[in-house]
Amino acid sequence: MRPTKALTTLAVATALLAAGCADRGDDSESQGAAATPTATAASADFGDLKAVCGPGSPKGSPAQGVTETEIRVGTMTDVGFTKNHEFPDAAKVFTSWCNDAGGINGRKLVSNSRDAKMVEARQRVAESCREDFALVGGGNALDNLGVRDRVSCLLPDFTAQVVKLENEGSALQLSVQAGGASYLRNAAFYDWLIKEGYPQSAGAVGIIAGDTIKASSDQRVEFIRASGANMIYSDLYPGAGVSNWTPYAQAIKEKGVKGLIFMGDFRSLGKLEQELTNMNYKLDWIDPNVAAYGPSFLKEAGNQVLSAQNNLTDLGGFQAPDPASTNPAVKKVLELFAKYAPDSQPTLGTVKAFSSWLLFAKSASACGDNLTRKCVYEQAVKETAWTGGGLQAPRDMSAQDTPATCFNVVKATPEGWKNADFKPNQGDYRCGGAAHKLIGNYGKPVTLADVGKTLEDLK
């Protein structure tokens, strides 16, 4: 039976949503309400952020989802489809920690898990529009399905991850991911690859992508050509799966591709790289895309492939959740997971979610009793060098549609993911890199004007 287009879309979107997957049964519908204050406000320091949460004597119910005792927010996820618990786990850990420190000025944080199960984003956004104060620390693969509804109900979104073009940079979105909708997010990384890291590959770059994410592939082709490099191979594969990767590997070898960008399911990439390695064809570099970051790709590829091929990817200016990390903010995340979710393993998505939660908590705390959507949004955009306490490279929250010029590169090896030799110049990051404003028509994010509203409508 031929896979339907819907199933094909789900297969590729799932692969690109986030790295890491762990099936531990159903998560609870809401997180955080049961915590009781057992620590002082000082215990809520996080990296270089001081007293993120703490006690208080709140008054009134100034907005939907906000009472004198609690703040109810939604966390988008696809856990019912993917079995990937990273966003619900991050919500559980953050809210438990924050509430133990006294909450947000004395109000308890409650996260309602909004499980879109991949295809029910509109239904979950509708629920959040009716019940929640904001969306915080989540993401879902088909996030374009609910974005117009979210903007229409003026629901701020402190998102951990953005996938679709209609949602990226949409109104009232506060994304901790650097790079706006008008720019290619990984331009600085690709520029480093073809001009400094592996200049010999510039004359022979290739790309292969799932057929439902052609726009993302086209953006990268546009940049490679604009940079002066030569894109000699471009192909699409059925997102629902390929039974035989030999013809693709043969085409890559015959074309003489030296640098390969892969956009899609890392399991498929593992099979492709096995074919290339069996043909004794070694590329200068392969970008498996950040969704491959984690132990699953390493297992899928195997030690022979990892020894033969040079897999390099950009973490987008976020710290890796490495147990060996000396970064205080990463160590804090690991410490909190060990305390509040000992059976869960932090992922890169966890790091992004924590940064989003921290941004929300700091902004909400600054509002005091006047905790409205307007206030929390205005406080968040005052952060012009947001680092999540040290979890990421600086991000200007007041200018969402700006290029990402900081990157950090990791390499897949038989011993695990290791930092590559990319010559960082700002702490753990390489900053000041190339930017590329997109020329092609790849779609645009939903604006307030698209739904007949303005920022003045936000209350």
Side-chain angles (χ1 to χ4, degrees):
M1 183 175 178
R2 185 175 181 178
T4 65
K5 183 176 181 181
L7 289 176
T8 300
T9 301
L10 296 186
V12 178
T14 304
L16 292 179
L17 177 59
C21 181
D23 187 0
R24 290 179 299 280
D26 294 335
D27 61 313
S28 61
E29 187 168 334
S30 62
Q31 304 283 1
T36 57
T38 59
T40 65
S43 68
D45 292 350
F46 188 99
D48 59 20
L49 296 174
K50 304 302 179 185
V52 176
C53 303
S57 301
K59 299 282 192 298
S61 301
Q64 174 183 290
V66 180
T67 70
E68 288 190 353
T69 59
E70 65 183 25
I71 305 165
R72 302 188 72 87
V73 300
T75 299
M76 295 299 294
T77 176
D78 282 321
V79 65
F81 183 89
T82 64
K83 308 306 178 186
N84 184 345
H85 288 247
E86 61 186 353
F87 295 146
D89 283 349
K92 173 185 177 181
V93 172
F94 186 89
T95 56
S96 297
W97 167 66
C98 185
N99 290 341
D100 277 352
I104 303 295
N105 297 324
R107 289 185 172 105
K108 297 301 178 188
L109 265 180
V110 179
S111 170
N112 296 316
S113 185
R114 302 299 183 187
D115 184 6
K117 302 172 185 175
M118 197 64 73
V119 295
E120 298 178 5
R122 288 199 70 185
Q123 294 94 314
R124 301 295 84 77
V125 169
E127 292 168 358
S128 196
C129 281
R130 292 193 301 267
E131 301 170 9
D132 299 330
F133 175 62
L135 290 173
V136 184
N140 58 294
L142 301 182
D143 54 9
N144 57 316
L145 299 180
V147 60
R148 184 173 288 268
D149 297 321
R150 179 187 65 77
V151 174
S152 295
C153 79
L154 300 172
L155 185 68
D157 183 13
F158 290 74
T159 183
Q161 191 154 285
V162 181
V163 179
K164 294 295 186 178
L165 298 173
E166 298 91 334
N167 189 39
E168 185 175 10
S170 56
L172 304 182
Q173 183 181 90
L174 295 149
S175 174
V176 295
Q177 291 185 127
S182 299
Y183 297 87
L184 179 65
R185 177 170 287 127
N186 302 109
F189 166 56
Y190 292 134
D191 190 71
W192 170 79
L193 277 173
I194 60 179
K195 292 182 180 178
E196 183 179 333
Y198 304 89
Q200 69 277 11
S201 70
V205 180
I207 187 168
I208 183 168
D211 54 10
T212 60
I213 51 173
K214 185 176 182 297
S216 294
S217 175
D218 289 346
Q219 289 178 350
R220 285 154 179 79
V221 172
E222 177 188 305
F223 169 74
I224 294 297
R225 290 174 174 162
S227 69
N230 189 18
M231 179 68 73
I232 64 170
Y233 171 80
S234 179
D235 203 356
L236 300 173
Y237 74 89
V242 174
S243 59
N244 181 12
W245 281 96
T246 301
Y248 295 94
Q250 287 175 333
I252 291 168
K253 182 177 181 179
E254 289 170 2
K255 290 282 188 180
V257 176
K258 294 183 178 180
L260 180 67
I261 300 170
F262 184 86
M263 301 289 295
D265 176 16
F266 65 79
R267 295 174 183 84
S268 295
L269 176 60
K271 294 179 174 63
L272 173 61
E273 291 195 32
Q274 288 167 8
E275 293 293 337
L276 289 166
T277 303
N278 289 338
M279 294 176 182
N280 199 31
Y281 189 72
K282 300 179 181 179
L283 292 89
D284 291 343
W285 57 267
I286 298 173
D287 171 24
N289 81 67
V290 72
Y293 179 77
S296 297
F297 172 69
L298 303 178
K299 182 178 180 181
E300 185 70 37
N303 288 348
Q304 182 183 7
V305 167
L306 296 174
S307 297
Q309 305 295 347
N310 187 25
N311 285 278
L312 300 166
T313 199
D314 174 20
L315 298 187
F318 285 90
Q319 289 285 322
D322 185 349
S325 175
T326 59
N327 179 287
V330 172
K331 291 172 71 174
K332 184 71 172 182
V333 170
L334 298 175
E335 170 195 321
L336 295 178
F337 263 74
K339 179 176 182 180
Y340 294 108
D343 296 328
S344 300
Q345 184 65 39
T347 66
L348 187 63
T350 301
V351 173
K352 296 177 180 180
F354 248 74
S355 185
S356 300
W357 277 103
L358 288 161
L359 177 64
F360 173 78
K362 187 173 187 290
S363 303
S365 294
C367 291
D369 279 349
N370 184 36
L371 184 52
T372 63
R373 288 176 174 176
K374 179 181 177 66
C375 179
V376 78
Y377 179 82
E378 289 178 344
Q379 289 295 328
V381 298
K382 290 180 180 179
E383 299 289 343
T384 57
W386 177 255
T387 67
L391 290 176
Q392 64 178 92
R395 163 74 155 140
D396 186 352
M397 300 306 300
S398 70
Q400 291 279 303
D401 193 16
T402 53
T405 59
C406 292
F407 62 95
N408 52 323
V409 187
V410 290
K411 174 183 171 67
T413 76
E415 293 76 37
W417 289 95
K418 305 293 184 182
N419 288 329
D421 183 17
F422 63 101
K423 296 180 174 58
N425 58 13
Q426 187 172 319
D428 294 327
Y429 313 106
R430 177 77 174 264
C431 297
H436 177 72
K437 191 162 188 175
L438 296 165
I439 299 171
N441 182 14
Y442 305 110
K444 64 183 185 68
V446 176
T447 67
L448 286 167
D450 290 335
V451 297
K453 295 188 178 179
T454 71
L455 201 55
E456 293 300 316
D457 294 311
L458 184 64
K459 305 299 182 186

